[in-house]
Amino acid sequence: MAIAHEWNTLPHLQDYEGDPEAGPFSREELQRFLDYADDQVARAVKSKRKGALAAYRDATLFKVIGRVQFAV
């Protein structure tokens, strides 16, 4: 059963809203991004404040997604 119909949704103003010059990460860019995410986890743990678990979760998710990107 469809819940989105032409009468209850808004049309897109543009077909593509992303930056046409931006592409997927290269392997080196992805590694730098993942290293940064790991650094954020270490920083959160060192500060002994809230956010360490969320940073760890995010870093782990990014690693799984990155692995899928290059496995294809």
Side-chain angles (χ1 to χ4, degrees):
M1 179 172 172
I3 58 171
H5 301 283
E6 189 173 318
W7 56 269
N8 69 351
T9 58
L10 296 174
H12 289 282
L13 298 178
Q14 298 176 348
D15 288 335
Y16 180 71
E17 297 178 4
D19 182 3
E21 294 180 9
F25 283 159
S26 68
R27 288 185 185 270
E28 293 80 21
E29 291 171 328
L30 180 62
Q31 188 59 54
R32 277 195 312 251
F33 176 76
L34 296 175
D35 290 343
Y36 176 78
D38 287 339
D39 291 344
Q40 292 301 304
V41 173
R43 185 182 62 83
V45 168
K46 186 177 178 181
S47 71
K48 297 182 181 179
R49 299 190 61 164
K50 290 183 180 180
L53 185 59
Y56 180 76
R57 176 204 61 212
D58 293 346
T60 303
L61 179 66
F62 294 145
K63 289 174 186 175
V64 170
I65 291 171
R67 204 175 267 208
V68 169
Q69 176 185 357
F70 283 105
V72 175

